Amino acid sequence: MSDPGTVLDTVNAKWYNTLAKELNLSVEEFQLCQGDVILPRTTDELWDMMDALPADTVIQYYSPDTLVSLSSQYTSLLSFVQASSVADLNKAMGADNTKSWAAAKSAYFKANPSAFSDSAIVLQTALQNLFQNWSMAELVPNPGSAAQCYTLYRAGFENPIYIAQELQLNLPLGGPAAFNQTYEGVLGDIGVAPSVNFTMESAQASSDISNSWANSSSSTGGTYFYSKSSSSASTDFSQTFASSSFTVAVSYDHFINVAALPLSGESIDADKTTYLPWYYGAALAYAYNNKTAAVWTDLTQWDALFGPEGSMQYVVTSLIIADGTSTITTSSQAFSTAEQTYATAQSNEGYGCWPYYVSNSSDSTTNTSTTFNASSNLVVTTTSALGNPIVVGVLVSSVKDLAQDA
């Protein structure tokens, strides 16, 4: 008997290719999502989903408590890179003045949060003016020293690392890391998005993912048809389903591609709070393209982030969202009485099942119904009423490509 995970990997690959084709998504960017994929109900939670870094597989089982975030890895990156002019400035000012300037800058941030609300250019101008005034007052009685330090300070802004490290101060401790969309805005856009309908025929669908951005179709949550738990019943049922032909009829009342971009331009208001830009893409590109001791204080960290096993090889650039969904999976295989009993019990317990694995619990907006027709063929209907969107997948970009395009 072959490994059930391997069998479902083939099924997953066929489902992945079908969605990419029918939804007009490039396999060079598309990643299918399974698991806890109901669209978050708050902006903070939406941003957390956008902040999640994708695993190196075309199908990711989304579980918020196990994901690595872009904001955390970006913060880690900025702690291991440097702008050389900053060292020259610190040397010219001396330790006491360096600490004094840091305190003055921090106090100004707290007193004037809106001063840095628009862009890196606004930040640069505001900080240069602040430093000039501070240096003339604090570096007396040596005006020459103040002028020298101001020149060095301005030079620092020629390096994107320095700008990024300044903007990073806008990232709230403990989150959330702000992105370019709010929940209310996304919900409004979904409401006017077009509909999509299609049917997958497993016998005709391709399982070839060799041209995709990732060559794996494994899913950490999609090992068995109904659940992640291993048992002889789950193995037998999954084998029966995956080894026979089936159809999946899909209907989305609304379907939309929502850009997921870390906040780097103008500020954004959400939940009566103003969030300031914290991300600077040019710094990420600069750090990626300059694997040198002059830029990195610890070169091993470049490999830890960007190497073959690195934690920051890909980032999410869009969420693929559907609303008013209906998915009817019908197998051509006759299932035994034991298999039918297993499936009915699993469905009644509220376990999610392939292809989404969204739970059918009392607080879920998704409903899964399992039945068997007169020929003992499996028919599973999964629906989510209009106004309860689910995230079908995401689009991803490699950091390498982003670094080349910057």
Side-chain angles (χ1 to χ4, degrees):
M1 181 179 292
S2 59
D3 179 0
T6 301
V7 175
L8 279 192
D9 282 352
T10 300
V11 170
N12 278 333
K14 290 184 175 185
W15 175 239
Y16 170 84
N17 283 328
T18 299
L19 282 181
K21 177 183 177 181
E22 298 293 342
L23 302 180
N24 196 29
L25 303 170
S26 170
V27 295
E28 295 180 357
E29 298 177 288
F30 177 49
Q31 181 184 61
L32 191 153
C33 289
Q34 295 177 329
D36 187 12
V37 292
I38 296 174
L39 186 71
R41 298 282 185 176
T42 69
T43 294
D44 286 7
E45 292 172 328
L46 175 66
W47 287 347
D48 285 343
M49 181 173 279
M50 292 178 169
D51 199 21
L53 291 177
D56 191 7
T57 172
V58 297
I59 300 174
Q60 177 154 321
Y61 191 88
Y62 181 78
S63 180
D65 58 342
T66 64
L67 296 174
V68 178
S69 69
L70 166 64
S71 58
S72 67
Q73 298 305 292
Y74 177 78
T75 298
S76 177
L77 181 155
L78 292 181
S79 70
F80 290 107
V81 292
Q82 61 188 347
S84 58
S85 57
V86 175
D88 295 335
L89 172 63
N90 292 342
K91 181 178 179 180
M93 288 204 302
D96 290 342
N97 286 326
T98 298
K99 291 180 181 179
S100 178
W101 162 239
K105 182 170 59 175
S106 177
Y108 188 76
F109 262 102
K110 293 178 180 179
N112 302 276
S114 62
F116 312 120
S117 63
D118 292 324
S119 67
I121 300 300
V122 172
L123 172 74
Q124 178 176 339
T125 301
L127 284 177
Q128 286 181 359
N129 290 339
L130 177 64
F131 185 87
Q132 185 176 39
N133 294 332
W134 173 86
S135 63
M136 292 300 294
E138 298 298 326
L139 297 183
V140 294
N142 186 356
S145 176
Q148 176 195 11
C149 290
Y150 178 61
T151 299
L152 290 171
Y153 186 73
R154 290 186 61 187
F157 285 95
E158 297 175 4
N159 189 310
I161 295 296
Y162 186 77
I163 298 174
Q165 289 171 336
E166 295 292 344
L167 279 174
Q168 187 198 7
L169 298 175
N170 289 335
L171 189 61
L173 291 176
F179 280 67
N180 64 322
Q181 304 274 0
T182 64
Y183 172 72
E184 290 76 14
V186 170
L187 208 60
D189 292 339
I190 292 172
V192 295
S195 63
V196 175
N197 299 276
F198 60 91
T199 298
M200 168 187 170
E201 299 284 351
S202 68
Q204 300 174 11
S206 170
S207 61
D208 181 9
I209 58 169
S210 60
N211 292 323
S212 68
W213 65 276
N215 288 323
S216 170
S217 61
S218 63
S219 171
T220 57
T223 306
Y224 302 95
F225 186 87
Y226 274 102
S227 70
K228 294 191 291 182
S229 61
S230 175
S231 68
S232 59
S234 61
T235 297
D236 291 344
F237 189 91
S238 301
Q239 284 280 36
T240 301
F241 170 77
S243 60
S244 60
S245 63
F246 58 90
T247 64
V248 185
V250 179
S251 173
Y252 298 152
D253 287 345
H254 299 290
F255 170 77
I256 193 171
N257 179 336
V258 175
L261 304 174
L263 197 61
S264 60
E266 295 184 356
S267 60
I268 191 169
D269 293 322
D271 300 326
K272 299 181 180 179
T273 301
T274 299
Y275 293 90
L276 308 180
W278 58 272
Y279 178 80
Y280 195 48
L284 178 62
Y286 185 84
Y288 182 90
N289 291 322
N290 291 275
K291 188 182 178 182
T292 66
V295 174
W296 289 82
T297 59
D298 181 354
L299 284 173
T300 65
Q301 295 301 317
W302 190 100
D303 293 304
L305 290 164
F306 304 130
E309 304 298 325
S311 59
M312 199 178 182
Q313 297 184 65
Y314 299 94
V315 299
V316 170
T317 56
S318 293
L319 302 184
I320 310 301
I321 304 172
D323 191 19
T325 65
S326 173
T327 303
I328 303 174
T329 302
T330 305
S331 174
S332 64
Q333 179 67 38
F335 285 76
S336 69
T337 300
E339 289 170 334
Q340 293 185 40
T341 299
Y342 163 79
T344 301
Q346 293 288 293
S347 185
N348 289 340
E349 285 294 327
Y351 293 115
C353 68
W354 188 89
Y356 299 122
Y357 298 98
V358 180
S359 67
N360 189 26
S361 60
S362 59
D363 60 348
S364 175
T365 58
T366 301
N367 180 66
T368 299
S369 171
T370 296
T371 60
F372 291 87
N373 61 23
S375 300
S376 296
N377 303 136
L378 169 73
V379 181
V380 177
T381 303
T382 301
T383 58
S384 184
L386 197 63
N388 300 283
I390 66 171
V391 179
V392 177
V394 299
L395 297 185
V396 307
S397 291
S398 70
V399 170
K400 179 180 180 180
D401 288 344
L402 293 176
Q404 292 174 344
D405 294 340

mmCIF file of all heavy atoms in Angstrom, residues 338-372:
data_model
loop_
_atom_site.group_PDB
_atom_site.id
_atom_site.type_symbol
_atom_site.label_atom_id
_atom_site.label_comp_id
_atom_site.label_asym_id
_atom_site.label_seq_id
_atom_site.Cartn_x
_atom_site.Cartn_y
_atom_site.Cartn_z
ATOM 1 N N ALA A 338 -18.021 0.333 6.099
ATOM 2 C CA ALA A 338 -17.114 0.847 7.129
ATOM 3 C C ALA A 338 -16.593 2.228 6.763
ATOM 4 O O ALA A 338 -16.495 3.121 7.615
ATOM 5 C CB ALA A 338 -15.947 -0.120 7.332
ATOM 6 N N GLU A 339 -16.265 2.411 5.496
ATOM 7 C CA GLU A 339 -15.766 3.714 5.048
ATOM 8 C C GLU A 339 -16.864 4.771 5.126
ATOM 9 O O GLU A 339 -16.610 5.924 5.502
ATOM 10 C CB GLU A 339 -15.222 3.596 3.628
ATOM 11 C CG GLU A 339 -13.918 2.820 3.543
ATOM 12 C CD GLU A 339 -13.508 2.508 2.109
ATOM 13 O OE1 GLU A 339 -14.397 2.427 1.232
ATOM 14 O OE2 GLU A 339 -12.292 2.359 1.873
ATOM 15 N N GLN A 340 -18.082 4.392 4.806
ATOM 16 C CA GLN A 340 -19.194 5.342 4.905
ATOM 17 C C GLN A 340 -19.443 5.739 6.361
ATOM 18 O O GLN A 340 -19.715 6.902 6.661
ATOM 19 C CB GLN A 340 -20.458 4.730 4.289
ATOM 20 C CG GLN A 340 -20.376 4.533 2.788
ATOM 21 C CD GLN A 340 -21.681 4.028 2.192
ATOM 22 O OE1 GLN A 340 -22.767 4.460 2.586
ATOM 23 N NE2 GLN A 340 -21.589 3.109 1.223
ATOM 24 N N THR A 341 -19.351 4.764 7.240
ATOM 25 C CA THR A 341 -19.533 5.049 8.668
ATOM 26 C C THR A 341 -18.454 6.007 9.159
ATOM 27 O O THR A 341 -18.740 6.966 9.896
ATOM 28 C CB THR A 341 -19.480 3.749 9.484
ATOM 29 O OG1 THR A 341 -20.535 2.881 9.047
ATOM 30 C CG2 THR A 341 -19.624 4.028 10.974
ATOM 31 N N TYR A 342 -17.224 5.773 8.752
ATOM 32 C CA TYR A 342 -16.110 6.647 9.122
ATOM 33 C C TYR A 342 -16.345 8.075 8.620
ATOM 34 O O TYR A 342 -16.225 9.043 9.378
ATOM 35 C CB TYR A 342 -14.803 6.101 8.548
ATOM 36 C CG TYR A 342 -13.682 7.109 8.521
ATOM 37 C CD1 TYR A 342 -12.946 7.414 9.664
ATOM 38 C CD2 TYR A 342 -13.366 7.768 7.329
ATOM 39 C CE1 TYR A 342 -11.927 8.350 9.631
ATOM 40 C CE2 TYR A 342 -12.343 8.712 7.297
ATOM 41 C CZ TYR A 342 -11.627 9.000 8.440
ATOM 42 O OH TYR A 342 -10.635 9.928 8.413
ATOM 43 N N ALA A 343 -16.688 8.211 7.346
ATOM 44 C CA ALA A 343 -16.870 9.532 6.750
ATOM 45 C C ALA A 343 -18.007 10.300 7.410
ATOM 46 O O ALA A 343 -17.892 11.502 7.690
ATOM 47 C CB ALA A 343 -17.131 9.390 5.253
ATOM 48 N N THR A 344 -19.126 9.616 7.671
ATOM 49 C CA THR A 344 -20.270 10.274 8.309
ATOM 50 C C THR A 344 -19.908 10.756 9.706
ATOM 51 O O THR A 344 -20.263 11.873 10.110
ATOM 52 C CB THR A 344 -21.460 9.310 8.375
ATOM 53 O OG1 THR A 344 -21.804 8.884 7.053
ATOM 54 C CG2 THR A 344 -22.660 9.984 9.017
ATOM 55 N N ALA A 345 -19.178 9.932 10.451
ATOM 56 C CA ALA A 345 -18.764 10.314 11.801
ATOM 57 C C ALA A 345 -17.823 11.510 11.769
ATOM 58 O O ALA A 345 -17.952 12.452 12.567
ATOM 59 C CB ALA A 345 -18.093 9.129 12.496
ATOM 60 N N GLN A 346 -16.883 11.492 10.843
ATOM 61 C CA GLN A 346 -15.926 12.591 10.745
ATOM 62 C C GLN A 346 -16.632 13.897 10.386
ATOM 63 O O GLN A 346 -16.361 14.954 10.958
ATOM 64 C CB GLN A 346 -14.865 12.273 9.688
ATOM 65 C CG GLN A 346 -13.937 11.126 10.036
ATOM 66 C CD GLN A 346 -12.955 11.488 11.138
ATOM 67 O OE1 GLN A 346 -12.072 12.317 10.960
ATOM 68 N NE2 GLN A 346 -13.135 10.885 12.304
ATOM 69 N N SER A 347 -17.549 13.827 9.447
ATOM 70 C CA SER A 347 -18.286 15.019 9.026
ATOM 71 C C SER A 347 -19.138 15.565 10.168
ATOM 72 O O SER A 347 -19.198 16.777 10.400
ATOM 73 C CB SER A 347 -19.159 14.697 7.817
ATOM 74 O OG SER A 347 -19.801 15.846 7.321
ATOM 75 N N ASN A 348 -19.801 14.675 10.919
ATOM 76 C CA ASN A 348 -20.642 15.095 12.039
ATOM 77 C C ASN A 348 -19.830 15.688 13.182
ATOM 78 O O ASN A 348 -20.322 16.521 13.942
ATOM 79 C CB ASN A 348 -21.466 13.910 12.550
ATOM 80 C CG ASN A 348 -22.559 13.499 11.583
ATOM 81 O OD1 ASN A 348 -22.956 14.289 10.729
ATOM 82 N ND2 ASN A 348 -23.039 12.268 11.710
ATOM 83 N N GLU A 349 -18.577 15.254 13.306
ATOM 84 C CA GLU A 349 -17.703 15.793 14.353
ATOM 85 C C GLU A 349 -17.200 17.196 14.018
ATOM 86 O O GLU A 349 -16.630 17.879 14.855
ATOM 87 C CB GLU A 349 -16.504 14.862 14.565
ATOM 88 C CG GLU A 349 -16.832 13.585 15.311
ATOM 89 C CD GLU A 349 -17.234 13.850 16.748
ATOM 90 O OE1 GLU A 349 -16.693 14.808 17.348
ATOM 91 O OE2 GLU A 349 -18.102 13.124 17.268
ATOM 92 N N GLY A 350 -17.414 17.617 12.788
ATOM 93 C CA GLY A 350 -17.016 18.973 12.410
ATOM 94 C C GLY A 350 -15.628 19.091 11.845
ATOM 95 O O GLY A 350 -15.099 20.196 11.698
ATOM 96 N N TYR A 351 -14.986 17.965 11.520
ATOM 97 C CA TYR A 351 -13.657 18.034 10.920
ATOM 98 C C TYR A 351 -13.734 18.624 9.521
ATOM 99 O O TYR A 351 -14.648 18.321 8.755
ATOM 100 C CB TYR A 351 -13.022 16.650 10.839
ATOM 101 C CG TYR A 351 -12.689 16.045 12.179
ATOM 102 C CD1 TYR A 351 -13.342 14.903 12.620
ATOM 103 C CD2 TYR A 351 -11.725 16.622 12.998
ATOM 104 C CE1 TYR A 351 -13.041 14.331 13.850
ATOM 105 C CE2 TYR A 351 -11.419 16.065 14.230
ATOM 106 C CZ TYR A 351 -12.079 14.930 14.653
ATOM 107 O OH TYR A 351 -11.768 14.388 15.868
ATOM 108 N N GLY A 352 -12.761 19.418 9.187
ATOM 109 C CA GLY A 352 -12.685 19.896 7.822
ATOM 110 C C GLY A 352 -12.189 18.786 6.915
ATOM 111 O O GLY A 352 -11.625 17.796 7.380
ATOM 112 N N CYS A 353 -12.441 18.907 5.624
ATOM 113 C CA CYS A 353 -11.990 17.868 4.704
ATOM 114 C C CYS A 353 -11.411 18.490 3.438
ATOM 115 O O CYS A 353 -11.514 19.696 3.212
ATOM 116 C CB CYS A 353 -13.138 16.916 4.356
ATOM 117 S SG CYS A 353 -14.454 17.643 3.365
ATOM 118 N N TRP A 354 -10.818 17.639 2.642
ATOM 119 C CA TRP A 354 -10.232 18.072 1.376
ATOM 120 C C TRP A 354 -11.322 18.688 0.495
ATOM 121 O O TRP A 354 -12.454 18.196 0.495
ATOM 122 C CB TRP A 354 -9.625 16.843 0.662
ATOM 123 C CG TRP A 354 -8.830 17.201 -0.547
ATOM 124 C CD1 TRP A 354 -7.506 17.494 -0.602
ATOM 125 C CD2 TRP A 354 -9.337 17.318 -1.879
ATOM 126 N NE1 TRP A 354 -7.155 17.785 -1.904
ATOM 127 C CE2 TRP A 354 -8.263 17.689 -2.695
ATOM 128 C CE3 TRP A 354 -10.594 17.156 -2.458
ATOM 129 C CZ2 TRP A 354 -8.397 17.907 -4.070
ATOM 130 C CZ3 TRP A 354 -10.751 17.380 -3.820
ATOM 131 C CH2 TRP A 354 -9.663 17.742 -4.614
ATOM 132 N N PRO A 355 -11.083 19.786 -0.248
ATOM 133 C CA PRO A 355 -9.767 20.396 -0.466
ATOM 134 C C PRO A 355 -9.410 21.558 0.458
ATOM 135 O O PRO A 355 -8.316 22.076 0.380
ATOM 136 C CB PRO A 355 -9.901 20.906 -1.903
ATOM 137 C CG PRO A 355 -11.343 21.320 -2.009
ATOM 138 C CD PRO A 355 -12.105 20.308 -1.190
ATOM 139 N N TYR A 356 -10.343 21.991 1.347
ATOM 140 C CA TYR A 356 -10.073 23.184 2.152
ATOM 141 C C TYR A 356 -9.610 22.864 3.576
ATOM 142 O O TYR A 356 -8.770 23.570 4.121
ATOM 143 C CB TYR A 356 -11.326 24.067 2.230
ATOM 144 C CG TYR A 356 -11.811 24.582 0.904
ATOM 145 C CD1 TYR A 356 -13.102 24.296 0.464
ATOM 146 C CD2 TYR A 356 -10.991 25.352 0.089
ATOM 147 C CE1 TYR A 356 -13.561 24.765 -0.759
ATOM 148 C CE2 TYR A 356 -11.443 25.822 -1.134
ATOM 149 C CZ TYR A 356 -12.724 25.523 -1.562
ATOM 150 O OH TYR A 356 -13.168 25.980 -2.765
ATOM 151 N N TYR A 357 -10.218 21.853 4.209
ATOM 152 C CA TYR A 357 -9.968 21.537 5.610
ATOM 153 C C TYR A 357 -10.432 22.642 6.557
ATOM 154 O O TYR A 357 -9.888 22.810 7.640
ATOM 155 C CB TYR A 357 -8.484 21.220 5.857
ATOM 156 C CG TYR A 357 -7.994 20.014 5.102
ATOM 157 C CD1 TYR A 357 -7.314 20.144 3.905
ATOM 158 C CD2 TYR A 357 -8.243 18.729 5.584
ATOM 159 C CE1 TYR A 357 -6.894 19.026 3.189
ATOM 160 C CE2 TYR A 357 -7.816 17.609 4.882
ATOM 161 C CZ TYR A 357 -7.144 17.772 3.686
ATOM 162 O OH TYR A 357 -6.730 16.657 2.993
ATOM 163 N N VAL A 358 -11.442 23.423 6.148
ATOM 164 C CA VAL A 358 -12.028 24.414 7.044
ATOM 165 C C VAL A 358 -13.002 23.698 7.970
ATOM 166 O O VAL A 358 -13.862 22.940 7.513
ATOM 167 C CB VAL A 358 -12.762 25.522 6.257
ATOM 168 C CG1 VAL A 358 -13.369 26.536 7.217
ATOM 169 C CG2 VAL A 358 -11.804 26.209 5.297
ATOM 170 N N SER A 359 -12.888 23.922 9.268
ATOM 171 C CA SER A 359 -13.695 23.175 10.231
ATOM 172 C C SER A 359 -15.186 23.448 10.060
ATOM 173 O O SER A 359 -15.599 24.497 9.567
ATOM 174 C CB SER A 359 -13.277 23.532 11.657
ATOM 175 O OG SER A 359 -13.596 24.878 11.950
ATOM 176 N N ASN A 360 -15.981 22.489 10.484
ATOM 177 C CA ASN A 360 -17.441 22.577 10.430
ATOM 178 C C ASN A 360 -17.982 22.719 11.850
ATOM 179 O O ASN A 360 -18.971 22.120 12.216
ATOM 180 C CB ASN A 360 -17.996 21.315 9.761
ATOM 181 C CG ASN A 360 -19.484 21.415 9.453
ATOM 182 O OD1 ASN A 360 -20.018 22.497 9.289
ATOM 183 N ND2 ASN A 360 -20.150 20.266 9.390
ATOM 184 N N SER A 361 -17.284 23.518 12.673
ATOM 185 C CA SER A 361 -17.641 23.674 14.076
ATOM 186 C C SER A 361 -18.800 24.646 14.254
ATOM 187 O O SER A 361 -19.218 25.314 13.302
ATOM 188 C CB SER A 361 -16.425 24.172 14.866
ATOM 189 O OG SER A 361 -15.993 25.420 14.367
ATOM 190 N N SER A 362 -19.284 24.759 15.474
ATOM 191 C CA SER A 362 -20.460 25.589 15.738
ATOM 192 C C SER A 362 -20.219 27.067 15.479
ATOM 193 O O SER A 362 -21.143 27.809 15.161
ATOM 194 C CB SER A 362 -20.910 25.399 17.196
ATOM 195 O OG SER A 362 -19.862 25.751 18.090
ATOM 196 N N ASP A 363 -18.962 27.503 15.625
ATOM 197 C CA ASP A 363 -18.670 28.922 15.415
ATOM 198 C C ASP A 363 -18.103 29.199 14.026
ATOM 199 O O ASP A 363 -17.676 30.300 13.732
ATOM 200 C CB ASP A 363 -17.692 29.432 16.478
ATOM 201 C CG ASP A 363 -16.361 28.691 16.450
ATOM 202 O OD1 ASP A 363 -16.281 27.648 15.776
ATOM 203 O OD2 ASP A 363 -15.424 29.162 17.113
ATOM 204 N N SER A 364 -18.116 28.199 13.149
ATOM 205 C CA SER A 364 -17.594 28.363 11.802
ATOM 206 C C SER A 364 -18.700 28.813 10.859
ATOM 207 O O SER A 364 -19.865 28.454 11.024
ATOM 208 C CB SER A 364 -16.982 27.056 11.303
ATOM 209 O OG SER A 364 -16.571 27.182 9.953
ATOM 210 N N THR A 365 -18.337 29.594 9.858
ATOM 211 C CA THR A 365 -19.305 30.031 8.849
ATOM 212 C C THR A 365 -19.331 29.070 7.665
ATOM 213 O O THR A 365 -20.089 29.266 6.722
ATOM 214 C CB THR A 365 -18.948 31.436 8.345
ATOM 215 O OG1 THR A 365 -17.613 31.419 7.803
ATOM 216 C CG2 THR A 365 -19.012 32.445 9.472
ATOM 217 N N THR A 366 -18.504 28.032 7.731
ATOM 218 C CA THR A 366 -18.426 27.046 6.656
ATOM 219 C C THR A 366 -19.136 25.757 7.071
ATOM 220 O O THR A 366 -18.968 25.284 8.193
ATOM 221 C CB THR A 366 -16.955 26.742 6.312
ATOM 222 O OG1 THR A 366 -16.311 27.950 5.915
ATOM 223 C CG2 THR A 366 -16.856 25.737 5.184
ATOM 224 N N ASN A 367 -19.922 25.197 6.173
ATOM 225 C CA ASN A 367 -20.670 23.973 6.470
ATOM 226 C C ASN A 367 -20.250 22.862 5.501
ATOM 227 O O ASN A 367 -20.188 23.070 4.285
ATOM 228 C CB ASN A 367 -22.173 24.217 6.343
ATOM 229 C CG ASN A 367 -22.979 22.967 6.657
ATOM 230 O OD1 ASN A 367 -22.991 22.497 7.791
ATOM 231 N ND2 ASN A 367 -23.635 22.422 5.636
ATOM 232 N N THR A 368 -19.952 21.681 6.051
ATOM 233 C CA THR A 368 -19.576 20.518 5.248
ATOM 234 C C THR A 368 -20.580 19.399 5.468
ATOM 235 O O THR A 368 -20.856 19.016 6.606
ATOM 236 C CB THR A 368 -18.169 20.026 5.605
ATOM 237 O OG1 THR A 368 -17.221 21.067 5.337
ATOM 238 C CG2 THR A 368 -17.795 18.808 4.780
ATOM 239 N N SER A 369 -21.123 18.870 4.367
ATOM 240 C CA SER A 369 -22.110 17.795 4.435
ATOM 241 C C SER A 369 -21.614 16.595 3.631
ATOM 242 O O SER A 369 -21.223 16.742 2.463
ATOM 243 C CB SER A 369 -23.450 18.267 3.875
ATOM 244 O OG SER A 369 -24.360 17.200 3.743
ATOM 245 N N THR A 370 -21.617 15.416 4.240
ATOM 246 C CA THR A 370 -21.186 14.190 3.576
ATOM 247 C C THR A 370 -22.382 13.269 3.364
ATOM 248 O O THR A 370 -23.116 12.957 4.303
ATOM 249 C CB THR A 370 -20.133 13.451 4.419
ATOM 250 O OG1 THR A 370 -18.966 14.268 4.529
ATOM 251 C CG2 THR A 370 -19.756 12.130 3.783
ATOM 252 N N THR A 371 -22.584 12.825 2.127
ATOM 253 C CA THR A 371 -23.638 11.861 1.819
ATOM 254 C C THR A 371 -23.087 10.810 0.848
ATOM 255 O O THR A 371 -22.026 10.994 0.260
ATOM 256 C CB THR A 371 -24.857 12.539 1.165
ATOM 257 O OG1 THR A 371 -24.443 13.167 -0.056
ATOM 258 C CG2 THR A 371 -25.464 13.583 2.098
ATOM 259 N N PHE A 372 -23.834 9.717 0.703
ATOM 260 C CA PHE A 372 -23.489 8.673 -0.261
ATOM 261 C C PHE A 372 -24.745 8.362 -1.064
ATOM 262 O O PHE A 372 -25.833 8.187 -0.499
ATOM 263 C CB PHE A 372 -22.982 7.419 0.460
ATOM 264 C CG PHE A 372 -21.641 7.616 1.111
ATOM 265 C CD1 PHE A 372 -21.557 8.119 2.407
ATOM 266 C CD2 PHE A 372 -20.472 7.333 0.425
ATOM 267 C CE1 PHE A 372 -20.338 8.325 3.009
ATOM 268 C CE2 PHE A 372 -19.238 7.525 1.025
ATOM 269 C CZ PHE A 372 -19.163 8.032 2.321
#
